[in-house]
Amino acid sequence: MSTAETTTATRWIVVPDGQSAEPDRALVGGKAWSLWRMASLGLTVPPAFVVTTDACRAYFDGGKTLPDGLIEELRSGIAGLEHKLGRTFGGSENPLLVSVRSGAAVSMPGMMDTILNLGFTDDVEGALAAETGSPEFAAEVNRRFHAFYGQLVLGCVDDLETHESAAAVRNAIRSETGADVPQAPWQQLECAVASVFESSRTRRAIAYRKHHGIPQDLGTAVTIQAMVFGNVDDDSGTGVLFSRNPLSGASEVYGEYLPRGQGEDVVSGRVTPEPLDGLARRSPSVHDELLSAARQLDADGRDAQDIEFTVQHGTLYMLQSRPAKRTARAAVRIAVELVDEGVLTPREALRRVAPAQVATVLRPVVDPDAAASATLIASGTSACPGVASGLAVATPEEAEQIPNAVLVRQNTSPEDVHGMIAAVAVVTETGGATSHAAVVSRALDTPCVVGCADAVADLVGKTVTVDAVSGHIYADELPTVAVDEANDCDLQRLLAWATEFAPITVVADDADAPQPLFDPSATGDFDPDAMPTVPPGTASVAGAIFSRPDALRAALDAGITTVVAPRALPVLLAAIALQEESR
């Protein structure tokens, strides 16, 4: 890895330029690491530098002040971008604008802040208008910057995106906070870096880490990258591409494209983008280049990739590539398919599928006979398959308070995550299959339907059934039917591999288990929260408690070789994972 354009070594920043050794992902975060990876593969990436997670840790350890030397290193990093691009940060000619993006070592999509178009001043607006020949574009970039900065740095609660000009946004910020967006680009940058650090400790980030078992002291790096603009002209746009379908796992690209848009438009769900075919119609050569990059990143990563890109003046720029968040069904299909492609071994494939994902695949589905006679209230696009019934509510707070609630929103934002975690299903009026609601729901494996027009008015206050397999929402609670795992070819192949590699055997009936058999739930003093003590000489164990990793670990440590369970694959996968941990 290289330091910024300077003759002295840097302590707090790294340049992921792809020309040197692989940087430490824990130090630079997943986003900057992916920039290095894409650049090293020869893909076109806007230049960037990254403020490390060490700096984030020092920021909090030092009483929430930027650590000594970081301000000088920020100037060094910007100087490197200026040198590469022939632009000037805050300049009245050829201005340099940057994005300031969060990026933890573990992917947390949508949980922390990103600020676009930073470095904007009144002089920059005039220079950008002159350079592009479009005062309207320059004014729109100015408006967007002020909206980002007002909400994410100055803490405005008002929805600043509803204001039509930068002046209106500034007035709204001043009215709510009494503060102004600084005209000094360096002050903007320093405050934005601190704000991104702070976003690692917001309620939504804490809730996400807790839900996924991610350490709370993870922190974040901050990637500072030269802006490219998808909203500058008709030959520009932005989008998200999955190298494999994140819903089904099929080996087919899956994505969306928004002409004349910026990435935040797609992710926020405010606008519903068009299918990726739209890019193929508008610019076949760019579309072909994008698909080639997706295949390259999929092969290099040995996994399905979630790719963010922008097209500016007909040139494709890659902004990020990371392992795709996927549904449980997709996780199973992708793991099996990668074995068929010779990318993974069967043992490696088993590591890619969690026991909980198998349980999710086997969740019941809506009874087709009941659906045929049910009242259809709304329809949209499936963003994460599954079925759930409950009372439709309009706020994340209600979703936390009311058991089995269905959260219905116009669109979701990071501020809704605590409600999304609590809800049994999520429905949005706008947004596509790569929107915030879709990506977060897939990470949570929560049934989600997006693009349901008038959903808030039609659904809130009613008991509904969300069939996120079909994208339909029905009145009342509908019955479900069980899924037979014997009819699922992918699960059967995983089961065969797991049976070969697992340190235990799983049988479905007590009568098939070697004796003596121990079932703690059959004892008079059974405590479901306690760790079971397996009696000496026991040959087999039974009971739902052994679906818990700690209880299964106790059984393995006691020398147990047979477990009685209604479904074998989740137990076998858990046993394999515990065996590998012990190695």
Side-chain angles (χ1 to χ4, degrees):
M1 60 189 174
S2 64
T3 56
E5 300 287 336
T6 178
T7 58
T8 59
T10 54
R11 179 181 180 186
W12 304 118
I13 70 171
V14 170
V15 179
D17 58 11
Q19 300 300 312
S20 50
E22 177 180 351
D24 180 357
R25 188 186 186 111
L27 185 68
V28 303
K31 194 181 300 301
W33 183 89
S34 80
L35 297 180
W36 169 85
R37 174 189 171 214
M38 292 188 296
S40 69
L41 293 172
L43 302 176
T44 303
V45 178
F49 66 94
V50 58
V51 181
T52 66
T53 54
D54 281 350
C56 179
R57 194 172 299 108
Y59 170 82
F60 288 109
D61 290 346
K64 297 187 177 182
T65 58
L66 297 182
D68 290 345
L70 177 55
I71 291 175
E72 291 76 17
E73 291 188 20
L74 288 174
R75 292 178 179 264
S76 173
I78 290 291
L81 300 184
E82 292 175 326
H83 177 75
K84 290 176 182 176
L85 298 171
R87 293 182 171 275
T88 303
F89 189 52
S92 57
E93 292 183 4
N94 296 322
L96 170 67
L97 299 178
V98 299
S99 61
V100 181
R101 299 175 180 269
S102 60
V106 178
S107 179
M108 295 174 54
M111 295 303 108
M112 295 181 289
D113 290 344
T114 288
I115 301 160
L116 302 182
N117 309 328
L118 188 135
F120 220 98
T121 67
D122 292 339
D123 288 342
V124 166
E125 180 172 351
L128 197 59
E131 179 182 345
T132 61
S134 176
E136 297 79 12
F137 164 71
E140 173 63 6
V141 175
N142 193 5
R143 184 195 69 79
R144 284 173 178 253
F145 163 65
H146 279 82
F148 276 116
Y149 198 94
Q151 289 185 311
L152 301 178
V153 180
L154 299 180
C156 282
V157 177
D158 181 22
D159 185 0
L160 300 177
E161 280 293 326
T162 61
H163 299 287
E164 295 183 353
S165 68
V169 174
R170 281 195 294 263
N171 288 336
I173 294 170
R174 192 178 301 115
S175 175
E176 183 179 337
T177 69
D180 287 309
V181 176
Q183 281 284 299
W186 294 110
Q187 184 181 353
Q188 295 172 10
L189 181 60
E190 293 161 19
C191 292
V193 169
S195 178
V196 173
F197 285 158
E198 291 285 347
S199 73
S200 70
R201 297 197 178 183
T202 57
R203 176 184 181 182
R204 63 181 184 266
I206 291 169
Y208 187 91
R209 286 192 295 264
K210 180 179 179 181
H211 181 82
H212 289 280
I214 300 170
Q216 289 294 352
D217 60 354
L218 188 68
T220 185
V222 182
T223 300
I224 298 164
Q225 186 172 33
M227 283 294 304
V228 287
F229 297 98
N231 58 336
V232 64
D233 60 19
D234 289 338
D235 292 324
S236 304
T238 191
V240 175
L241 169 70
F242 293 86
S243 62
R244 298 170 190 259
N245 190 307
L247 278 72
S248 68
S251 182
E252 59 188 19
V253 294
Y254 178 95
E256 294 175 324
Y257 181 68
L258 183 64
R260 297 196 76 125
Q262 284 195 300
E264 186 62 21
D265 298 327
V266 177
V267 174
S268 70
R270 291 177 182 272
V271 181
T272 301
E274 61 188 36
L276 197 63
D277 291 347
L279 176 59
R281 291 191 301 271
R282 294 168 182 273
S283 181
S285 62
V286 172
H287 181 263
D288 290 346
E289 182 183 357
L290 176 64
L291 296 194
S292 175
R295 289 191 293 270
Q296 188 176 6
L297 290 165
D298 185 282
D300 182 76
R302 303 174 73 236
D303 199 2
Q305 298 294 301
D306 172 358
I307 300 163
E308 297 177 12
F309 66 94
T310 287
V311 180
Q312 177 179 282
H313 298 314
T315 298
L316 174 66
Y317 293 91
M318 310 301 290
L319 302 182
Q320 178 167 273
S321 179
R322 60 190 173 193
K325 299 298 182 184
R326 65 205 70 180
T327 66
R329 161 56 59 196
V332 169
R333 176 89 281 269
I334 290 169
V336 172
E337 197 152 72
L338 287 173
V339 173
D340 291 341
E341 294 172 10
V343 176
L344 299 180
T345 65
R347 184 181 281 276
E348 287 175 319
L350 294 172
R351 296 192 199 114
R352 297 283 182 93
V353 181
Q357 290 176 314
V358 174
T360 298
V361 170
L362 296 173
R363 285 189 304 207
V365 297
V366 170
D367 185 334
D369 293 335
S373 59
T375 301
L376 180 65
I377 306 177
S379 294
T381 299
S382 171
C384 185
V387 176
S389 298
L391 179 67
V393 301
T395 69
E397 289 71 29
E398 290 175 298
E400 282 192 308
Q401 296 163 3
I402 298 173
N404 301 318
V406 174
L407 179 61
V408 184
R409 303 285 279 166
Q410 182 180 14
N411 53 68
T412 65
S413 76
E415 302 304 325
D416 298 321
V417 167
H418 58 288
M420 297 175 73
I421 290 173
V424 295
V426 175
V427 178
T428 66
E429 293 187 342
T430 61
T434 59
S435 64
H436 177 272
V439 172
V440 174
S441 293
R442 284 196 288 272
L444 299 173
D445 246 323
T446 297
C448 178
V449 178
V450 298
C452 293
D454 303 318
V456 174
D458 292 344
L459 303 181
V460 170
K462 300 175 182 176
T463 297
V464 299
T465 294
V466 178
D467 181 0
V469 176
S470 66
H472 294 157
I473 298 150
Y474 299 98
D476 303 318
E477 181 174 351
L478 299 188
T480 58
V481 293
V483 174
D484 186 355
E485 65 182 324
N487 295 328
D488 191 308
C489 294
D490 289 335
L491 289 180
Q492 289 304 300
R493 292 185 67 190
L494 288 175
L495 177 60
W497 297 333
T499 300
E500 177 184 354
F501 294 117
I504 57 170
T505 298
V506 178
V507 298
D509 193 278
D510 291 359
D512 298 324
Q515 301 297 314
L517 180 143
F518 172 59
D519 183 350
S521 63
T523 63
D525 58 349
F526 173 61
D527 180 355
D529 296 321
M531 178 70 73
T533 301
V534 180
T538 299
S540 306
V541 295
I545 193 171
F546 290 105
S547 63
R548 278 173 28 195
D550 58 343
L552 185 57
R553 162 64 69 196
L556 292 176
D557 290 345
I560 297 301
T561 57
T562 303
V563 176
V564 180
R567 296 192 188 274
L569 184 53
V571 179
L572 293 171
L573 289 174
I576 291 170
L578 290 170
Q579 181 186 50
E580 295 196 350
E581 282 179 16
S582 66
R583 289 176 179 171

